[in-house]
Amino acid sequence: MTARPLTGKDFAARIRAQVADAAAAKRAEGRPARLVIVTATDDEASAWYVRSIASAAGKAGLDCDVADLGTTATAAGIADRLAALSADPAVDGVMLQTPLPPGVALAEVSGAIDPAKDVDGANPLSLGRLAAGLPAYAPATASAVVALLDEYAVDLAGARAVVVGRSVVVGKPLAHLLLDRDATVTVCHSRTRDLAAVTSTADVLVAAVGRTHLIEPEHVRPGAVVVDVGTNPTSDGGLAGDVDPAVADVAAALTPVPGGVGPVTTALLLKNVVD
Amino acid sequence: MTARPLTGKDFAARIRAQVADAAAAKRAEGRPARLVIVTATDDEASAWYVRSIASAAGKAGLDCDVADLGTTATAAGIADRLAALSADPAVDGVMLQTPLPPGVALAEVSGAIDPAKDVDGANPLSLGRLAAGLPAYAPATASAVVALLDEYAVDLAGARAVVVGRSVVVGKPLAHLLLDRDATVTVCHSRTRDLAAVTSTADVLVAAVGRTHLIEPEHVRPGAVVVDVGTNPTSDGGLAGDVDPAVADVAAALTPVPGGVGPVTTALLLKNVVD
């Protein structure tokens, strides 16, 4: 078998086109849509990601500012800025980029982002509202996984979904999104015993751990749909997923890295700003 | 096999004794611990549960008031009262009892409870903080399941835990508590296909659906630990669990109903008030 590639580029382009239409309408009303990304790091991968969002925002006709607070920013300083941006009527979306300075926890400061502007679902209240079935933004990566599965008409109701990774930015919110779609959801992690025994029960397997090629063919049930959230830097400057490409011989469908979940994530982030 | 009964009565009594000590110390300081339970229902089972909490609180030396807003209470009226109680320095814990009047959703109004006084973990922010690894109160029932497993030295790290039921008051917060304890966690629900195939993978199986004897011996792996959260009224005025008593022939351990999770839940609720 060679897995069907669940590419995200064309899908993301269509989302971005919708975003551009909405952004143009707002601009015509004299009220351009504005995203502000708060950073406090000199991490190069982070800077690359922020530039890619800013570039995509610009192409879609959104205003996008980067507020760099520097690597010496304190938790109080970051929270204050997030609160001020949340209160600013000219700002539609506020995103806090990680990593943060040592000693500053994302969950501690992201509570200062107004849930109505929390376009990347970083505030614990957004996650709690999501879990409680209330309107809320999910982290864009988690939303992108479900949107991509929908795009390719993967049936989630009653499906066995296994998420590898329990991070608060992907694994946990994704579990709630999948539960909300009536999947039976299992969350695995570094302490899971016999990972292959668990992952091979999955109709839909999502890898979101950040370990290059952790998921090998033996982890995958033949015919499963596999979503690769990993974006691990390679020595030659490229990106490798959490899923071994050899899984394509076993799975029915597989998202590529790059070009799978990633572009959809950025597009949905922008969509949240104009929504 | 006859399963070891994981009774909660003695354990709950020990927790209540600790609570009584803490309550006596607060009273000696001239600052008695006070729980306020807000109700807006004439449901008889609910009234019974509220009376049992109030009775246990009284015996432990806590002040416990019931604020009955009546069956015509509005969402705004309930939220206002919860906010006022949260702001009252003489109140240590605020609990909103369900069911609520038609059209009033728990998750919508419980956001008015200050997370610091949200002793039954009803505010979506409490759930989000729990998921994010921040200090927060979990719903007492979810906490009671983990506390009872700890009391009987059931090892959760690396265990396969299966939770049947995805409610925001038990199943979802419990999934986060179990994940936090390094279990591999699966959440099942009414749309799960072949429930027995999933539940029989569990080292630790928790039933929290509210359907009498849904879990039968065929759902249980021999040697599993089974926790029964169900409290379903029987025609003779008693309580039946979600687990068929015949499961005792298969499981290594099983919580009784009544006398298992229930008393521990009430004790932990009071403990949250004095903490």
Side-chain angles (χ1 to χ4, degrees), chain A residues 149-234:
Chain A
L149 291 169
D150 282 345
E151 168 70 7
Y152 287 97
V154 175
D155 196 10
L156 290 171
R160 291 202 61 176
V162 176
V163 178
V164 186
R166 56 177 159 175
S167 75
V168 74
V169 290
V170 187
K172 286 174 178 174
L174 179 57
H176 286 293
L177 292 176
L178 292 168
L179 267 182
D180 196 47
R181 297 294 296 276
D182 291 329
T184 298
V185 179
T186 300
V187 179
C188 301
H189 44 78
S190 57
R191 298 291 299 274
T192 292
R193 281 199 287 259
D194 196 354
L195 181 64
V198 182
T199 56
S200 60
T201 66
D203 301 312
V204 175
L205 176 61
V206 183
V209 269
R211 280 183 55 191
T212 300
H213 300 175
L214 172 72
I215 302 299
E216 298 179 326
E218 73 196 56
H219 291 86
V220 179
R221 190 178 62 72
V225 174
V226 180
V227 179
D228 189 350
V229 177
T231 53
N232 309 291
T234 58

Side-chain angles (χ1 to χ4, degrees), chain A residues 22-106:
Chain A
K26 282 177 183 280
R27 197 171 288 279
E29 291 166 9
R31 175 67 188 79
R34 178 182 298 271
L35 168 68
V36 180
I37 306 173
V38 174
T39 66
T41 177
D42 52 12
D43 179 77
E44 191 42 50
S46 168
W48 180 88
Y49 181 55
V50 169
R51 280 195 300 272
S52 76
I53 295 171
S55 165
K59 285 178 191 160
L62 278 73
D63 292 346
C64 180
D65 297 334
V66 177
D68 184 4
L69 307 187
T71 57
T72 59
T74 62
I78 295 170
D80 285 351
R81 180 64 75 96
L82 295 173
L85 291 166
S86 293
D88 183 345
V91 173
D92 300 285
V94 179
M95 180 182 156
L96 176 59
Q97 176 63 15
T98 55
L100 297 170
V104 181
L106 175 66

